[in-house]
Amino acid sequence: MDQLVKFTLGRGDMSHVLSEISQTYPGSSWDGQVFTVDTPNTSVKITNLDNLPGVNMSINEVWFDYDVLFQEEAQEETSILIRFVHDSVLFHQGTGNGAVGENQLNSAAMYNTLRAHQVFIPRHRNIRWLTFRVSIETWKKVTYGLLPSIDQLLQRKEEWIIFETIDYNMEKCIRRIFEVQSKNRAERLGFSLAKGMELLTYFFRQLSKRLENDHSVGLVTMDVDTIFLIKNDLIKNIQSPPSIEDLCRKYGMSADRLRNNFKKVFGLPPRQYVLKKRYQEAYQQVKQTNESLSSIAHSLGFSHSSHFANGFKKHFGVSPSALRENK
């Protein structure tokens, strides 16, 4: 029988939670900043940084010989959690099992803490991610009121989640944070905090641009599982995805309802989502293969290489040729 181990992250600050776990979990240790587990079937390293008022940052690297479900308890005082997944995949349960991470359109998720939340970690995979917990007061200071729709949403007693991409600048910050973890404690602490704040700045700026003309956000609703099925249908054949009419017939949903609910979950209408996914696939191919840029563009349904290059730079802040030179 497949084994599923559940960990409950209770209320209170992360340092307190990790300290309690270290007292009961076999093979674990906690020095006030770094929590580790090193056993034949478990490898965990969590660096917890709470040096900045109102912001908690954790740097997580794990491997399990079994499936793991992290259960985050609801908090009476609302905070915002932002999770960035690097070179791996996490699954947010209760949101259509939304995959976040490598080779996914979305590599970041932001949600509130008014309700319990679950994150699934599959066995036999090295998983690396960053988590930021930001207090509402600090959020307001950082965003300067530029995201009024989210400010209003924070007052509601409903769960919500926003999925977002990681652009070139964010990816560089994340990569450097993990690279520096082998350094001495003082260097690791200062550099990680500095890069973490830079990462949040890029993230909030990108999210602000996305919501400039549309202040809707990804509320989790009863339709969310269907919306994730629709998303899967759209990207199965990225060159020639099904039409809105075909999807409406398949899922018994009107076109307006489909578009509106899709946009609430993913922040984009279906067609724009597909376009963004094409660029995400192109990003991976430019980084990981030696295929010509024109071949990559053609294979993903872009008819003009110049349009592909311009759109690529708009999405990621770097041209495909520059990305390839620096890979």
Side-chain angles (χ1 to χ4, degrees):
M1 181 179 294
D2 291 342
Q3 183 181 11
L4 176 66
V5 176
K6 297 181 180 180
F7 291 96
T8 299
L9 303 181
R11 299 178 181 180
D13 64 79
M14 194 64 177
S15 295
H16 178 71
V17 171
L18 292 175
S19 178
E20 286 193 339
I21 294 176
S22 69
Q23 296 175 27
T24 59
Y25 196 87
S28 64
S29 65
W30 167 247
D31 66 3
Q33 184 182 92
V34 180
F35 173 81
T36 59
V37 180
D38 188 9
T39 67
N41 61 0
T42 305
S43 176
V44 174
K45 181 180 180 182
I46 300 176
T47 301
N48 185 65
L49 305 176
D50 53 7
N51 306 75
L52 298 178
V55 179
N56 177 267
M57 174 183 178
S58 65
I59 305 163
N60 310 272
E61 302 180 65
V62 305
W63 181 92
F64 296 102
D65 194 31
Y66 40 83
D67 295 332
V68 171
L69 186 67
F70 280 105
Q71 302 183 103
E72 301 167 333
E73 290 187 349
Q75 304 289 318
E76 293 179 356
E77 295 185 4
T78 309
S79 297
I80 302 166
L81 265 72
I82 306 136
R83 181 169 286 117
F84 299 91
V85 184
H86 183 57
D87 293 342
S88 46
V89 181
L90 290 178
F91 299 88
H92 284 253
Q93 306 284 75
T95 59
N97 293 337
V100 179
E102 186 180 28
N103 296 325
Q104 306 298 318
L105 177 64
N106 302 294
S107 295
M110 181 173 78
Y111 53 96
N112 65 358
T113 58
L114 283 174
R115 293 186 182 178
H117 196 81
Q118 297 181 331
V119 177
F120 175 72
I121 299 178
R123 71 186 66 188
H124 300 160
R125 297 191 191 181
N126 292 308
I127 310 289
R128 301 198 297 175
W129 76 93
L130 305 175
T131 299
F132 295 85
R133 182 186 295 269
V134 183
S135 71
I136 299 302
E137 181 180 356
T138 301
W139 162 269
K140 292 178 180 178
K141 291 179 180 178
V142 171
T143 59
Y144 298 102
L146 294 176
L147 299 175
S149 59
I150 298 180
D151 292 337
Q152 295 174 9
L153 187 64
L154 295 179
Q155 307 305 318
R156 300 178 61 177
K157 304 299 182 182
E158 298 178 42
E159 181 185 1
W160 57 267
I161 187 166
I162 295 173
F163 296 104
E164 190 57 84
T165 59
I166 291 177
D167 69 7
Y168 180 68
N169 289 318
M170 285 188 269
E171 183 184 5
K172 285 197 300 183
C173 289
I174 295 168
R175 186 171 62 249
R176 293 293 290 121
I177 288 171
F178 281 107
E179 288 174 353
V180 81
Q181 296 312 302
S182 60
K183 304 294 184 180
N184 64 66
R185 186 183 182 112
E187 184 176 355
R188 184 175 68 234
L189 171 62
F191 187 89
S192 297
L193 286 174
K195 282 295 176 183
M197 294 306 100
E198 183 180 350
L199 172 61
L200 286 181
T201 300
Y202 287 130
F203 176 80
F204 289 142
R205 184 176 67 181
Q206 177 172 295
L207 185 59
S208 177
K209 288 181 178 179
R210 175 157 77 86
L211 298 178
E212 277 180 357
N213 299 315
D214 180 7
H215 297 292
S216 65
V217 294
L219 285 174
V220 176
T221 69
M222 292 179 63
D223 288 330
V224 73
D225 288 327
T226 300
I227 293 302
F228 271 88
L229 292 174
I230 291 172
K231 181 265 293 185
N232 291 338
D233 284 353
L234 285 170
I235 63 176
K236 280 179 183 176
N237 185 350
I238 200 69
Q239 283 186 299
S240 182
S243 67
I244 295 297
E245 291 74 18
D246 288 342
L247 292 170
C248 289
R249 283 193 294 269
K250 180 176 181 178
Y251 292 101
M253 190 178 292
S254 71
D256 285 344
R257 181 181 172 193
L258 188 154
R259 290 191 182 97
N260 290 338
N261 285 346
F262 195 97
K263 193 171 184 178
K264 285 181 179 179
V265 174
F266 294 107
L268 292 170
R271 292 305 171 199
Q272 291 184 30
Y273 180 94
V274 169
L275 179 62
K276 201 166 189 177
K277 178 63 177 176
R278 285 173 175 164
Y279 279 117
Q280 193 75 7
E281 293 286 344
Y283 186 96
Q284 296 298 327
Q285 291 189 34
V286 171
K287 281 181 57 180
Q288 299 174 5
T289 75
N290 292 319
E291 285 290 324
S292 69
L293 299 182
S294 59
S295 295
I296 292 173
H298 178 73
S299 69
L300 292 172
F302 294 99
S303 56
H304 300 287
S305 296
S306 59
H307 291 169
F308 163 71
N310 291 335
F312 190 100
K313 186 171 184 179
K314 181 179 179 181
H315 275 78
F316 302 111
V318 62
S319 68
S321 57
L323 177 65
R324 173 158 284 177
E325 289 174 1
N326 294 324
K327 72 175 183 177

